[in-house]
Amino acid sequence: PGAAKIAGPKIMAVQMTEELYFGWGELLNGISPYAWAFIGTGLAIGLSVLGAAWGIFITGSSLVGAAIKAPRIRSKNLISVIFCEAVAIYGVIVAIILQTHLEQVKSGEVSLASKYAGYAIFWSGLTAGLGNLSCGVCVGVCGSGCALADAQDGNLFVKILVIEIFASALGIFAIIVAIIMSTKANFE
């Protein structure tokens, strides 16, 4: 009882619990809306921090390499690293906002509003996380180009910094979309 029996080349599964899932829809519907909400909140902060780290890696490696040729660029190009760190802060802000929608777990039947709230918070977190991941990489690439261009010609720093500011706006757009998506998420 409770195990699989092997009969020749065929495997016969024995039902281990009372519930048996017949498709992905039933399986995903069986997951608690609170679990979806917590996963979404974790994705918001986790992917944002990953994007920030990736951007810092890209920018930092170019900055260190270019600083060999022109040591004067070390301090003023740290602004690119700060822009990358801001992406992680965006993720923290979204995670805090998403946490405010969570309420105490109620036992009993899960309402449709609770399912909606769980899915809304999940997708809000995923949207913010993926948006900030791409924003971190974009800011990192722009910061890398800024450091390399500044090492060649000091007059290019401000011009490329403007492009980097526009790249960091992607993260702000992700925050706005996540907030809009989670506005009506209320567990009842």
Side-chain angles (χ1 to χ4, degrees):
K5 298 177 183 178
I6 300 176
K10 297 181 181 178
I11 298 177
M12 299 168 30
V14 177
Q15 184 176 353
M16 296 186 73
T17 63
E18 292 181 20
E19 293 185 37
L20 189 62
Y21 294 105
F22 293 103
W24 285 105
E26 286 185 42
L27 178 67
L28 295 176
N29 195 29
I31 298 174
S32 167
Y34 295 98
W36 285 114
F38 284 120
I39 291 169
T41 304
L43 285 172
I45 195 166
L47 291 175
S48 297
V49 169
L50 180 64
W54 200 346
I56 290 170
F57 169 71
I58 294 169
T59 299
S61 59
S62 295
L63 179 60
V64 170
I68 293 172
K69 180 184 181 298
R72 64 176 170 74
I73 71 165
R74 282 187 310 225
S75 58
K76 70 178 178 179
N77 275 285
L78 284 178
I79 190 76
S80 300
V81 174
I82 293 169
F83 280 145
C84 291
E85 289 175 2
V87 173
I89 294 170
Y90 296 160
V92 171
I93 291 169
V94 170
I96 290 170
I97 291 171
L98 294 179
Q99 285 291 322
T100 61
H101 292 288
L102 295 176
E103 298 171 7
Q104 188 173 5
V105 177
K106 298 174 185 172
S107 60
E109 187 68 27
V110 177
S111 67
L112 217 52
S114 293
K115 288 182 180 182
Y116 173 82
Y119 294 142
I121 292 174
F122 171 77
W123 288 109
S124 296
L126 185 64
T127 301
L130 290 176
N132 286 327
L133 176 67
S134 60
C135 175
V137 172
C138 185
V139 170
V141 169
C142 288
S144 171
C146 185
L148 295 174
D150 188 26
Q152 292 294 321
D153 182 9
N155 294 329
L156 294 175
F157 175 73
V158 175
K159 296 172 184 171
I160 298 179
L161 191 64
V162 171
I163 296 170
E164 195 171 352
I165 291 169
F166 287 128
S168 69
L170 293 174
I172 296 171
F173 294 147
I175 288 176
I176 292 169
V177 169
I179 291 171
I180 291 171
M181 288 174 65
S182 69
T183 323
K184 302 224 179 206
N186 294 319
F187 289 92
E188 293 177 358

